[in-house]
Amino acid sequence: MHLQLKVLLLAVVAVLTFAGLAGATTNATTGAGSSYIVLYNAQAVPGDAATTISRAGGELVYSYDQIGVAIAKSDSSAFRANLLKDARIENVSSTAGFAVRLPDGPATDSGPPPGDLTNSPATDSDTLSPLQWDMRQIHTPAAHAITGGSRAVLVGDIDTGIDFTHPDLAPNLDVANSANCVSGAPVAGTAAQDDNGHGTHTAGTIAAASNGTGIVGVAPNVRIAGVKAGNGDGFFFPEAVICSFMWAASHHMDVTNNSYFADPYLFNCKNDPTQRAIWAAEARAILYAEQHGVSVVSAEGNQAEDTAHPTQDKTSPDDTTPITRVIHNNCAIIPVEVPGVVGVTAVGHNQQQPAGYLKAYYSSFGVGVTQVTAPGGDRRFGINAEATNGRVLSTWPVPLASDCPASLRIVDAGGVYCYLQGTSMASPHVAGVAALVISRFGSLTNPVAKMTPSRVTAYLTNTADQQPCPSSLPTTNPIDGRAYLSFLGLDDGKVQTCQGGAGYNSWYGHGQVNALSAIN
């Protein structure tokens, strides 16, 4: 399948066996059967959960006591009904046969004093740095003259894994804090090797090393861990997101990047029993991570539609047969619509009037969902002398070099690099800036100065370059001559409309993230 169709945006939670997670129990299973999310009424899993699940015809895979969620397997058609006889259980959902995946195709004052983390500057003179229009657009080279980040800061890239052999990532990889969550029984370390490419691409934008070759990430001095929640086909199934966020919380990650949609459906409706259990379990895990100091950054999606006012879902579930559903505001996207998550839209390298850069034609948007925007590329309206194909260049797994088309692939000093576009590419820019903010203002010794997620979000939004809704839109593009407004929402079929003022609007949120302003 073509790479752009493989890039997936849906994530779900694999179960992981990490040390130090109080109350977690496991009976690891590798046998056949469907995976189930068991959601308890209380924010705890009863001590007899394994026995109850066994009597119902299943097997306990993992227990997240902190959020009242258990992962189970069963091949019994009566398993869910049997479990729901237990009044302590709010709901049970099978995660088999569901997934959502989307293509990546279509300051002037002095500010607060720095914290006590050790920081060092970085340079942007690597061999492929001239091709990184996206970094110059958000002023990372200027920011790097002040700081390239701190080794004390850890970013988790929840994605399809990471290429542990890539020469531009290896210097910053935290192998011990990486994990593979796909199977439902997590495996730490290099088991998170990327077999898709998407995760390695997002990781490079965040933290590719400033080492003389290849590209330079937004935060080239921080540590990055790969948390593999997506499989080789780019699907993130429900038992994997919970695990990923619980891992991030227990391993004291400062930021996670989430370039995907989680849950069986693109839009998860709370009035549907199957969707509600998974939605609630994932939301609990994300909120748990935020409560433990994890800033969560998420792509908004490539459907070119208003996620704040959904009307129709024709995408889900796309690993089987999509079913057109009429939906309303009781339906939400995970993780971007969970409280506290920083939602990111994408722009290209095409300046608009009266100011700023035009939202990428494919990028979804929405009042209340969008916090900031960042470069994601635009191959239709963003081609110019500096962005010759409109896309964003980043790292790509060396073993999967042929999966990136030759016309979009660059090999440099043994490393492979690929051009892609999507909100998946925009989100890691924001995660990288968040890592720089924490590096600059965080503290290891002063609890009062700790960079809470809400504080990090404030730095990102208050220092973003405001962008008003465009006063005019392109009537043609060099690819096929189509006008900007001819790209309708993929699900709702509606014309894209920007709502709001210069300070905040549905397309750009508070504006385009600015790395220099954020750390100043």
Side-chain angles (χ1 to χ4, degrees):
M1 184 177 296
H2 190 281
L3 169 67
Q4 300 290 47
L5 296 180
K6 288 178 65 177
V7 173
L8 127 253
L9 270 67
L10 137 22
V12 229
V13 160
V15 195
L16 77 85
T17 56
F18 46 80
L21 182 58
T25 59
T26 181
N27 290 320
T29 177
T30 57
S34 298
S35 294
Y36 287 82
I37 304 295
V38 183
L39 182 71
Y40 286 88
N41 292 309
Q43 294 277 332
V45 176
D48 64 347
T51 300
T52 301
I53 290 170
S54 177
R55 288 174 178 170
E59 182 178 7
L60 175 66
V61 175
Y62 209 83
S63 174
Y64 295 97
D65 293 348
Q66 299 92 331
I67 60 172
V69 174
I71 310 296
K73 275 186 175 287
S74 177
D75 56 9
S76 170
S77 60
F79 179 65
R80 180 176 185 272
N82 290 339
L83 272 186
L84 288 177
K85 296 175 183 177
D86 189 332
R88 299 171 299 177
I89 295 175
E90 179 179 325
N91 218 317
V92 180
S93 289
S94 169
T95 68
F98 298 107
V100 174
R101 107 183 141 172
L102 299 178
D104 262 347
T108 58
D109 56 36
S110 60
D116 60 12
L117 303 183
T118 301
N119 282 252
S120 58
T123 61
D124 288 76
S125 56
D126 285 10
T127 51
L128 300 181
S129 292
L131 303 178
Q132 293 187 273
W133 60 266
D134 53 311
M135 297 300 174
R136 293 185 290 277
Q137 186 164 305
I138 62 170
H139 309 291
T140 61
H144 291 165
I146 300 171
T147 179
S150 172
R151 301 299 289 180
V153 173
L154 175 61
V155 179
D157 193 25
I158 301 177
D159 212 299
T160 62
I162 200 166
D163 181 9
F164 290 91
T165 68
H166 201 290
D168 225 357
L169 294 174
N172 293 332
L173 284 173
D174 189 325
V175 178
N177 284 309
S178 298
N180 184 331
C181 286
V182 171
S183 71
V187 181
T190 57
Q193 176 68 28
D194 189 3
D195 55 359
N196 174 279
H198 190 266
T200 298
H201 198 279
T202 55
T205 297
I206 298 168
S210 175
N211 57 357
T213 62
I215 66 168
V216 178
V218 176
N221 294 345
V222 304
R223 293 174 295 131
I224 188 165
V227 183
K228 183 173 173 58
N231 62 24
D233 291 325
F235 287 110
F236 298 63
F237 286 97
E239 53 280 21
V241 175
I242 298 163
C243 153
S244 299
F245 280 101
M246 298 301 288
W247 176 275
S250 67
H251 285 70
H252 311 293
M253 293 181 180
D254 297 287
V255 184
T256 63
N257 179 67
N258 302 269
S259 291
Y260 58 81
F261 288 133
D263 219 30
Y265 288 90
L266 170 59
F267 287 94
N268 312 286
C269 302
K270 300 176 185 178
N271 60 347
D272 180 281
T274 300
Q275 296 168 54
R276 184 172 62 246
I278 298 175
W279 182 92
E282 290 174 337
R284 285 187 190 180
I286 293 168
L287 292 169
Y288 181 84
E290 291 173 348
Q291 291 162 2
H292 283 74
V294 182
S295 292
V296 180
V297 179
S298 177
E300 194 147 341
N302 302 337
Q303 301 295 94
E305 59 193 21
D306 187 347
T307 56
H309 302 94
T311 58
Q312 186 170 256
D313 180 1
K314 297 195 300 183
T315 298
S316 316
D318 75 349
D319 64 329
T320 53
T321 302
I323 300 170
T324 299
R325 301 182 297 151
V326 175
I327 57 175
H328 305 286
N329 279 340
N330 62 339
C331 304
I333 301 171
I334 304 293
V336 72
E337 292 194 77
V338 172
V341 173
V342 179
V344 184
T345 61
V347 292
H349 193 46
N350 34 14
Q351 287 192 303
Q352 65 177 48
Q353 295 299 324
Y357 293 85
L358 180 64
K359 182 185 76 65
Y361 69 94
Y362 55 79
S363 179
S364 292
F365 52 92
V367 170
V369 183
T370 307
Q371 299 302 314
V372 291
T373 194
D378 188 330
R379 71 179 184 88
R380 293 180 183 271
F381 299 95
I383 296 176
N384 51 40
E386 191 175 15
T388 56
N389 61 35
R391 299 170 173 88
V392 172
L393 182 67
S394 191
T395 46
W396 190 256
V398 175
L400 302 180
S402 62
D403 286 354
C404 176
S407 61
L408 301 177
R409 183 173 70 237
I410 296 177
V411 178
D412 183 65
V416 178
Y417 302 82
C418 190
Y419 281 102
L420 291 178
Q421 69 170 20
T423 56
S424 284
M425 285 64 254
S427 181
H429 286 86
V430 178
V433 175
L436 290 182
V437 166
I438 297 169
S439 297
R440 180 78 166 146
F441 300 110
S443 175
L444 291 174
T445 59
N446 183 2
V448 177
K450 179 173 174 57
M451 296 296 294
T452 62
S454 60
R455 189 174 173 215
V456 173
T457 299
Y459 273 72
L460 295 174
T461 58
N462 292 339
T463 62
D465 294 329
Q466 293 184 357
Q467 292 196 191
C469 290
S471 57
S472 62
L473 293 167
T475 55
T476 61
N477 72 80
I479 301 301
D480 55 15
R482 288 179 61 185
Y484 185 91
L485 290 180
S486 71
F487 293 94
L488 307 177
L490 295 182
D491 288 69
D492 63 17
K494 294 183 178 180
V495 174
Q496 303 184 59
T497 304
C498 183
Q499 298 175 306
Y504 181 86
N505 57 66
S506 61
W507 280 16
Y508 309 112
H510 297 274
Q512 181 173 244
V513 69
N514 185 320
L516 179 61
S517 296
I519 57 103
N520 258 348

